[in-house]
Amino acid sequence: MAPHMRLRQICLVAPQLAPVVSDIAEIMGLSVCYQDGNVAKYGLENALLPVDTILLEVVAPFKEGTTAGRFIEKTGGRGGYMAIFCCDDPDARGRNANALGVRTANVIDHAPYHGVQLHPRDCRAAFIEFNHTEGSDDILGAYPPAGPDWQKFIRKDVTQALTAVEMQSPNPIELAEHWGKIIGVAPTGAELKLPNATFRFVKGASEIMSALEFRVTDVAQVLHAAKAKGLAVAGKEFLLGGVTFRVVA
């Protein structure tokens, strides 16, 4: 196990923020904690909603020619965009990834926050980012991308945690091993277990981040709220923001 490696954030991409963000908030009982003006330079707008200590972000392009826009076109709007991890030393993780043939796509340096984003084509299935906020090793500490007081927006009356991320691939074991080497966590079969979430790799036609699993207080209530929004519910799942939301008790 790599020293201090946690899932910090999941980023979804949508053609527009509305109604995806409001649907997530209302169905899952979550609150928007921040909209970050810094993403405008990438041609994006965003909104972040805390799910306990993991942030769920939605980004949407507002102009032509963005990486996010190309991602939507390439995937037909299916699949999560980024998996973002907090760790002790993002630069060391980046160098490790480079040694595996995974290129660095972008480095973000907004002290006290430092992030290293890896190239999605090399990561496969989704972007990977490693970041660290100086002096903020507490999981409820400062995290600048989520705004100055994101902790105040945590709600647990409906959704208690984001417990698992599902990754799809024609060769799930091989993709699990690839992501395990990048993240520094040895896979158990087709799973990567982090202290606060599990990545599960399953068989599928293409390589995408296919589903998010949430622990909720009342599964039936969440599914009813999804149906009320006009979403197609199958079993304990519904499609929103390009990924399958799966709810468990």
Side-chain angles (χ1 to χ4, degrees):
M1 176 67 74
H4 184 65
M5 179 68 66
R6 297 176 68 89
L7 180 61
R8 175 87 267 193
Q9 195 175 323
I10 288 291
C11 178
L12 308 179
V13 63
Q16 296 92 27
L17 291 184
V20 175
V21 173
S22 58
D23 282 356
I24 292 172
E26 290 171 37
I27 294 166
M28 305 302 291
L30 302 171
S31 295
V32 173
C33 63
Y34 194 52
Q35 294 191 268
D36 185 358
N38 286 316
V39 300
K41 63 174 177 263
Y42 304 113
L44 302 174
E45 54 183 351
N46 79 341
L48 290 105
L49 309 93
V51 185
D52 193 14
T53 56
I54 296 173
L55 278 301
L56 183 58
E57 178 183 16
V58 182
V59 299
F62 62 77
K63 64 180 189 184
E64 297 293 315
T66 64
T67 307
R70 286 192 293 274
F71 179 88
I72 293 172
E73 287 163 21
K74 179 178 154 233
T75 64
R78 182 79 173 104
Y81 190 47
M82 294 181 83
I84 298 171
F85 302 90
C86 56
C87 63
D88 298 317
D89 190 342
D91 291 320
R93 296 294 346 145
R95 287 191 296 272
N96 170 73
N98 298 161
L100 297 168
V102 177
R103 292 165 287 175
T104 299
N106 191 26
V107 176
I108 305 160
D109 216 359
H110 290 307
Y113 168 89
H114 182 72
V116 175
Q117 293 179 343
L118 303 178
H119 201 294
R121 192 172 296 150
D122 301 340
C123 296
R124 297 160 44 196
F127 267 101
I128 290 173
E129 178 190 311
F130 298 110
N131 66 45
H132 181 72
T133 302
E134 198 62 44
S136 180
D137 293 325
D138 174 9
I139 56 167
L140 280 166
Y143 184 60
D149 53 0
W150 67 272
Q151 307 89 336
K152 294 178 184 170
F153 293 85
I154 294 171
R155 289 177 54 190
K156 293 191 180 178
D157 49 321
V158 178
T159 300
Q160 295 167 326
L162 197 170
T163 52
V165 180
E166 184 183 276
M167 310 293 290
Q168 197 173 278
S169 171
N171 191 336
I173 295 284
E174 194 260 334
L175 185 62
E177 287 169 355
H178 180 62
W179 270 54
K181 285 174 189 164
I182 296 170
I183 296 164
V185 175
T188 307
E191 288 191 347
L192 297 176
K193 291 186 184 294
L194 294 163
N196 62 337
T198 299
F199 278 71
R200 294 195 196 109
F201 295 78
V202 301
K203 188 92 172 166
S206 57
E207 293 197 328
I208 57 171
M209 182 195 295
S210 48
L212 303 176
E213 184 177 286
F214 299 87
R215 188 171 69 249
V216 299
T217 49
D218 186 333
V219 169
Q221 176 196 330
V222 172
L223 297 175
H224 178 75
K227 280 181 185 162
K229 288 285 179 187
L231 302 180
V233 173
K236 295 180 179 179
E237 302 177 347
F238 51 91
L239 191 65
L240 181 54
V243 297
T244 299
F245 277 57
R246 185 174 300 130
V247 290
V248 297

